Amino acid sequence: MGIPGPPCPLLPLPGNSRYKLTSVDVPDMVSYPLPQSSSSYSGHAPSSVAMVSGLHPSKMNCTRIFNLFCLYGNIEKVKFMKSVPGTALVEMGDEYAVDRAITHLNSIKVFGKRLNVCVSKQHAVIPSQVFELEDGSSSYKDFAMTRNNRFSSAGQASKNIIQPPSAVLHYYNVPPCISQDHLLRLCTEHDVPGFVKFKMFDAKPSSKTISGLLEFDNKTEAVEVLTVLNHYQIRIPNGSNPYTLKLCFSTSSHL
């Protein structure tokens, strides 16, 4: 055994952190190559790629993975593995985003299957062996330029409250004309559970959007609804651009 060195600055961020570190916060974080000996708890050197297995073969696709994982960091690329059914690689903004995703999403149930989320040995997602998933969508998708990533600037990242999955969803960016019945109908149309309680926050008269909370019978139902309906495009009569429904897990445990 060698003499212990100083504490390694490359430990993953705690799961509840709202911010990602930059090289300004930890100057020596980028000053030397990462030694293999300081690998993270996964047994691999930290990577910005997560490996996700236990994905429902007909109900999960690249977009739905994005909808769920984007709560914990930016998503660059998602690729399903042809050789390992029900498994995908998710390239995120940095290794801290991967750690947050593992902390909050490993072992949760989605569409009756339990996810396994871990650090991948790969350090980038390469778009090879692209094929068609059961729902007809592509097994590979690049999300680097999407406006739906929520950690693209420090100011934007600071607004994200990193929460574990819960039975209450916070919804926002919804047009004021959308009612409780509209949202319930949206759940029915997409074959996901309906909410049991609904709350709309008071908005300023000048506000162009509304927000509020949706409570479901349990956490698993809320996860499925978020996975399917996050970033759904709400079109309104005579409206030029659709509204992008935004969902995240609430800090409230019930309404």
Side-chain angles (χ1 to χ4, degrees), residues 185-198:
R185 198 157 58 243
L186 197 58
C187 293
T188 304
E189 289 169 358
H190 288 81
D191 197 26
V192 292
F195 47 87
V196 292
K197 290 184 183 176
F198 171 88

PDB file of all heavy atoms in Angstrom, residues 185-198:
ATOM      1  N   ARG A 185     -57.542  14.464 -19.711  1.00  0.00           N
ATOM      2  CA  ARG A 185     -57.788  13.864 -21.033  1.00  0.00           C
ATOM      3  C   ARG A 185     -56.462  13.516 -21.718  1.00  0.00           C
ATOM      4  O   ARG A 185     -56.355  12.496 -22.409  1.00  0.00           O
ATOM      5  CB  ARG A 185     -58.608  14.827 -21.885  1.00  0.00           C
ATOM      6  CG  ARG A 185     -59.269  14.162 -23.079  1.00  0.00           C
ATOM      7  CD  ARG A 185     -60.472  14.929 -23.589  1.00  0.00           C
ATOM      8  NE  ARG A 185     -60.173  16.291 -23.986  1.00  0.00           N
ATOM      9  CZ  ARG A 185     -60.704  17.368 -23.379  1.00  0.00           C
ATOM     10  NH1 ARG A 185     -61.538  17.237 -22.365  1.00  0.00           N
ATOM     11  NH2 ARG A 185     -60.397  18.581 -23.797  1.00  0.00           N
ATOM     12  N   LEU A 186     -55.460  14.349 -21.502  1.00  0.00           N
ATOM     13  CA  LEU A 186     -54.132  14.099 -22.063  1.00  0.00           C
ATOM     14  C   LEU A 186     -53.566  12.780 -21.529  1.00  0.00           C
ATOM     15  O   LEU A 186     -52.987  11.985 -22.281  1.00  0.00           O
ATOM     16  CB  LEU A 186     -53.204  15.263 -21.702  1.00  0.00           C
ATOM     17  CG  LEU A 186     -51.906  15.426 -22.475  1.00  0.00           C
ATOM     18  CD1 LEU A 186     -52.171  15.568 -23.963  1.00  0.00           C
ATOM     19  CD2 LEU A 186     -51.143  16.640 -21.946  1.00  0.00           C
ATOM     20  N   CYS A 187     -53.768  12.527 -20.236  1.00  0.00           N
ATOM     21  CA  CYS A 187     -53.314  11.269 -19.631  1.00  0.00           C
ATOM     22  C   CYS A 187     -54.037  10.086 -20.271  1.00  0.00           C
ATOM     23  O   CYS A 187     -53.411   9.077 -20.633  1.00  0.00           O
ATOM     24  CB  CYS A 187     -53.564  11.277 -18.123  1.00  0.00           C
ATOM     25  SG  CYS A 187     -52.573  12.473 -17.192  1.00  0.00           S
ATOM     26  N   THR A 188     -55.356  10.219 -20.436  1.00  0.00           N
ATOM     27  CA  THR A 188     -56.150   9.135 -21.022  1.00  0.00           C
ATOM     28  C   THR A 188     -55.712   8.845 -22.451  1.00  0.00           C
ATOM     29  O   THR A 188     -55.543   7.684 -22.849  1.00  0.00           O
ATOM     30  CB  THR A 188     -57.650   9.514 -21.012  1.00  0.00           C
ATOM     31  OG1 THR A 188     -58.043   9.814 -19.671  1.00  0.00           O
ATOM     32  CG2 THR A 188     -58.505   8.385 -21.543  1.00  0.00           C
ATOM     33  N   GLU A 189     -55.512   9.906 -23.240  1.00  0.00           N
ATOM     34  CA  GLU A 189     -55.126   9.745 -24.645  1.00  0.00           C
ATOM     35  C   GLU A 189     -53.781   9.048 -24.805  1.00  0.00           C
ATOM     36  O   GLU A 189     -53.532   8.387 -25.813  1.00  0.00           O
ATOM     37  CB  GLU A 189     -55.088  11.111 -25.339  1.00  0.00           C
ATOM     38  CG  GLU A 189     -56.469  11.722 -25.569  1.00  0.00           C
ATOM     39  CD  GLU A 189     -56.396  13.184 -26.005  1.00  0.00           C
ATOM     40  OE1 GLU A 189     -55.275  13.720 -26.079  1.00  0.00           O
ATOM     41  OE2 GLU A 189     -57.454  13.770 -26.269  1.00  0.00           O
ATOM     42  N   HIS A 190     -52.896   9.222 -23.820  1.00  0.00           N
ATOM     43  CA  HIS A 190     -51.555   8.623 -23.903  1.00  0.00           C
ATOM     44  C   HIS A 190     -51.434   7.360 -23.060  1.00  0.00           C
ATOM     45  O   HIS A 190     -50.323   6.869 -22.836  1.00  0.00           O
ATOM     46  CB  HIS A 190     -50.496   9.654 -23.511  1.00  0.00           C
ATOM     47  CG  HIS A 190     -50.297  10.715 -24.555  1.00  0.00           C
ATOM     48  ND1 HIS A 190     -51.135  11.810 -24.671  1.00  0.00           N
ATOM     49  CD2 HIS A 190     -49.377  10.820 -25.540  1.00  0.00           C
ATOM     50  CE1 HIS A 190     -50.723  12.547 -25.687  1.00  0.00           C
ATOM     51  NE2 HIS A 190     -49.672  11.976 -26.225  1.00  0.00           N
ATOM     52  N   ASP A 191     -52.571   6.853 -22.598  1.00  0.00           N
ATOM     53  CA  ASP A 191     -52.613   5.571 -21.891  1.00  0.00           C
ATOM     54  C   ASP A 191     -51.696   5.556 -20.663  1.00  0.00           C
ATOM     55  O   ASP A 191     -50.977   4.587 -20.410  1.00  0.00           O
ATOM     56  CB  ASP A 191     -52.235   4.437 -22.862  1.00  0.00           C
ATOM     57  CG  ASP A 191     -52.654   3.072 -22.341  1.00  0.00           C
ATOM     58  OD1 ASP A 191     -53.623   3.012 -21.547  1.00  0.00           O
ATOM     59  OD2 ASP A 191     -52.000   2.071 -22.694  1.00  0.00           O
ATOM     60  N   VAL A 192     -51.721   6.664 -19.908  1.00  0.00           N
ATOM     61  CA  VAL A 192     -50.978   6.726 -18.643  1.00  0.00           C
ATOM     62  C   VAL A 192     -51.971   7.045 -17.522  1.00  0.00           C
ATOM     63  O   VAL A 192     -53.067   7.547 -17.776  1.00  0.00           O
ATOM     64  CB  VAL A 192     -49.847   7.786 -18.682  1.00  0.00           C
ATOM     65  CG1 VAL A 192     -48.748   7.365 -19.646  1.00  0.00           C
ATOM     66  CG2 VAL A 192     -50.385   9.169 -19.044  1.00  0.00           C
ATOM     67  N   PRO A 193     -51.609   6.745 -16.268  1.00  0.00           N
ATOM     68  CA  PRO A 193     -52.546   6.973 -15.155  1.00  0.00           C
ATOM     69  C   PRO A 193     -52.948   8.439 -15.016  1.00  0.00           C
ATOM     70  O   PRO A 193     -52.158   9.346 -15.281  1.00  0.00           O
ATOM     71  CB  PRO A 193     -51.746   6.512 -13.928  1.00  0.00           C
ATOM     72  CG  PRO A 193     -50.689   5.597 -14.472  1.00  0.00           C
ATOM     73  CD  PRO A 193     -50.351   6.128 -15.820  1.00  0.00           C
ATOM     74  N   GLY A 194     -54.177   8.660 -14.604  1.00  0.00           N
ATOM     75  CA  GLY A 194     -54.648  10.017 -14.338  1.00  0.00           C
ATOM     76  C   GLY A 194     -54.298  10.433 -12.918  1.00  0.00           C
ATOM     77  O   GLY A 194     -54.098   9.590 -12.044  1.00  0.00           O
ATOM     78  N   PHE A 195     -54.219  11.741 -12.694  1.00  0.00           N
ATOM     79  CA  PHE A 195     -53.894  12.243 -11.353  1.00  0.00           C
ATOM     80  C   PHE A 195     -55.143  12.233 -10.483  1.00  0.00           C
ATOM     81  O   PHE A 195     -56.272  12.252 -10.977  1.00  0.00           O
ATOM     82  CB  PHE A 195     -53.275  13.647 -11.425  1.00  0.00           C
ATOM     83  CG  PHE A 195     -54.007  14.613 -12.315  1.00  0.00           C
ATOM     84  CD1 PHE A 195     -55.072  15.372 -11.837  1.00  0.00           C
ATOM     85  CD2 PHE A 195     -53.630  14.764 -13.647  1.00  0.00           C
ATOM     86  CE1 PHE A 195     -55.741  16.262 -12.655  1.00  0.00           C
ATOM     87  CE2 PHE A 195     -54.303  15.651 -14.487  1.00  0.00           C
ATOM     88  CZ  PHE A 195     -55.366  16.397 -13.981  1.00  0.00           C
ATOM     89  N   VAL A 196     -54.923  12.186  -9.167  1.00  0.00           N
ATOM     90  CA  VAL A 196     -56.055  12.129  -8.221  1.00  0.00           C
ATOM     91  C   VAL A 196     -56.297  13.480  -7.545  1.00  0.00           C
ATOM     92  O   VAL A 196     -57.382  13.725  -7.009  1.00  0.00           O
ATOM     93  CB  VAL A 196     -55.837  11.039  -7.153  1.00  0.00           C
ATOM     94  CG1 VAL A 196     -55.893   9.661  -7.795  1.00  0.00           C
ATOM     95  CG2 VAL A 196     -54.502  11.228  -6.419  1.00  0.00           C
ATOM     96  N   LYS A 197     -55.285  14.349  -7.569  1.00  0.00           N
ATOM     97  CA  LYS A 197     -55.459  15.702  -7.033  1.00  0.00           C
ATOM     98  C   LYS A 197     -54.770  16.687  -7.960  1.00  0.00           C
ATOM     99  O   LYS A 197     -53.764  16.366  -8.602  1.00  0.00           O
ATOM    100  CB  LYS A 197     -54.864  15.823  -5.618  1.00  0.00           C
ATOM    101  CG  LYS A 197     -55.644  15.067  -4.554  1.00  0.00           C
ATOM    102  CD  LYS A 197     -55.053  15.321  -3.173  1.00  0.00           C
ATOM    103  CE  LYS A 197     -55.773  14.512  -2.102  1.00  0.00           C
ATOM    104  NZ  LYS A 197     -55.146  14.684  -0.774  1.00  0.00           N
ATOM    105  N   PHE A 198     -55.329  17.896  -8.013  1.00  0.00           N
ATOM    106  CA  PHE A 198     -54.854  18.915  -8.959  1.00  0.00           C
ATOM    107  C   PHE A 198     -54.778  20.261  -8.246  1.00  0.00           C
ATOM    108  O   PHE A 198     -55.675  20.612  -7.490  1.00  0.00           O
ATOM    109  CB  PHE A 198     -55.837  18.989 -10.136  1.00  0.00           C
ATOM    110  CG  PHE A 198     -55.601  20.128 -11.083  1.00  0.00           C
ATOM    111  CD1 PHE A 198     -54.745  19.996 -12.161  1.00  0.00           C
ATOM    112  CD2 PHE A 198     -56.272  21.336 -10.906  1.00  0.00           C
ATOM    113  CE1 PHE A 198     -54.553  21.047 -13.058  1.00  0.00           C
ATOM    114  CE2 PHE A 198     -56.079  22.389 -11.797  1.00  0.00           C
ATOM    115  CZ  PHE A 198     -55.217  22.241 -12.867  1.00  0.00           C
TER     116      PHE A 198
END
